[in-house]
Amino acid sequence: MPRKMISLVIVAIATASCLALVGLGESGAPPAAADEVTLPPPVTSGGMSLAEAIGKRRSVRRFAPTPLTQVEVSQLCWAAQGITEPDQGLRASPSAMATYPVDVFMIDATGLYQYDPGKHALRRLAEGDMLARLRSAVGQAPVRSAPACMLLALDYERSRGRCGDRAERYGLLEAGHIAQNVLLAATAMGLAGCPVGGMDEHNCIKVLGLPEKLVAAYLLPIGHPEKGQ
Ligand SMILES: Cc1cc2nc3c(=O)[nH]c(=O)nc-3n(C[C@H](O)[C@H](O)[C@H](O)COP(=O)(O)O)c2cc1C
């Protein structure tokens, strides 16, 4: 095979593998930039009723290895922090004084991605098996089993100015709102998750190579429940 063609094949394989989290190649549009994938629009009506999702939600700790699709990732990110009122940029989860100190990250065997609510896009921050790295810092069963994990991380610099001494309490409350939205959205799609708070909130950030000012509030391992769960 000519050298030029070999390098094209290598680039194609690399691109396909690092975008596997968001299912690009199955149904998606091309990425807006090399390291950014615009997610499909979220589904904002129909589906399982809220009452049914509340009734069905359960913390699940054993998952099938099936990766999440682009559509599923889109819906989970939107439920977490999607823009629901574009004029003022208000989001799916409430935030004290609309300071939005929680950043949303997705981690899987292909990389680490940050959700950009304004663009409804995922920006790739790191390639490779970042889930394995996370698992080295968090030995919890659901994190070991799930094919993907959402991280909710607090940046208190964003909220301290307006929220003062209440920034930490407000931030954790806000992470709780977001987590519940995500868990209910997962349930409504036939997925499941488990809210994990039992981890070292600084070490998680460190192993993922994220800025040290961030504090991990919650991990939300998510996937298809293993049969029989
Ligand atoms: C703040 C918080 C922290 C939690 N941390 C963990 C955890 O570290 N590991 C885990 O397996 N489950 C964790 N859970 C899940 C609880 O164990 C679970 O919600 C509880 O057993 C009730 O079950 P249910 O969620 O299915 O209703 C946590 C839940 C909350 C609300």
Side-chain angles (χ1 to χ4, degrees), residues 57-61 140-142 183 193-199 218:
R57 183 210 60 81
R58 205 76 290 141
S59 292
V60 164
R61 296 178 177 82
Q140 293 251 359
L183 294 171
C194 181
V196 171
M199 75 285 187
Y218 243 153

Side-chain angles (χ1 to χ4, degrees), residues 15-24 26 37 39 67-74 77 105-114 122-124 131 147-149:
T15 307
S17 69
C18 64
L19 295 173
L21 173 74
V22 288
L24 204 85
E26 290 164 27
V37 179
L39 295 168
L68 300 183
T69 66
Q70 189 183 36
V71 168
E72 289 165 343
V73 171
S74 165
C77 289
F105 300 93
M106 291 296 299
I107 301 127
D108 79 350
T110 70
L112 165 68
Y113 306 78
Q114 181 167 10
L122 282 183
R123 192 156 50 91
R124 192 179 64 230
L131 201 49
C149 191

Side-chain angles (χ1 to χ4, degrees), residues 150-171:
M150 183 181 280
L151 163 66
L152 305 181
L154 282 150
D155 180 352
Y156 289 118
E157 282 179 13
R158 212 173 294 149
S159 55
R160 199 159 270 135
R162 299 196 68 195
C163 301
D165 292 345
R166 293 183 180 159
E168 288 193 12
R169 184 162 59 88
Y170 284 172

Side-chain angles (χ1 to χ4, degrees), residues 4-188:
K4 199 171 171 193
M5 196 173 285
I6 291 172
S7 49
L8 276 176
V9 169
I10 291 170
V11 168
I13 291 170
T15 307
S17 69
C18 64
L19 295 173
L21 173 74
V22 288
L24 204 85
E26 290 164 27
S27 62
D35 59 353
E36 188 176 285
V37 179
T38 302
L39 295 168
V43 178
T44 56
S45 63
M48 187 184 287
S49 75
L50 178 59
E52 195 178 347
I54 291 172
K56 282 195 167 146
R57 183 210 60 81
R58 205 76 290 141
S59 292
V60 164
R61 296 178 177 82
R62 290 206 316 272
F63 301 89
T66 322
L68 300 183
T69 66
Q70 189 183 36
V71 168
E72 289 165 343
V73 171
S74 165
Q75 200 68 13
L76 296 171
C77 289
W78 176 79
Q81 285 287 273
I83 303 286
T84 50
E85 202 284 320
D87 290 347
Q88 296 176 71
L90 302 177
R91 302 184 185 180
S93 301
S95 172
M97 299 185 196
T99 48
Y100 300 108
V102 178
D103 286 335
V104 174
F105 300 93
M106 291 296 299
I107 301 127
D108 79 350
T110 70
L112 165 68
Y113 306 78
Q114 181 167 10
Y115 178 58
D116 180 334
K119 294 181 176 171
H120 190 56
L122 282 183
R123 192 156 50 91
R124 192 179 64 230
L125 303 181
E127 283 180 56
D129 192 349
M130 299 302 282
L131 201 49
R133 280 210 201 185
L134 184 64
R135 287 171 179 159
S136 73
V138 185
Q140 293 251 359
V143 177
R144 280 205 310 272
S145 175
C149 191
M150 183 181 280
L151 163 66
L152 305 181
L154 282 150
D155 180 352
Y156 289 118
E157 282 179 13
R158 212 173 294 149
S159 55
R160 199 159 270 135
R162 299 196 68 195
C163 301
D165 292 345
R166 293 183 180 159
E168 288 193 12
R169 184 162 59 88
Y170 284 172
L172 293 173
L173 291 169
E174 191 166 328
H177 287 295
I178 296 170
Q180 188 70 352
N181 270 11
V182 171
L183 294 171
L184 291 176
T187 305

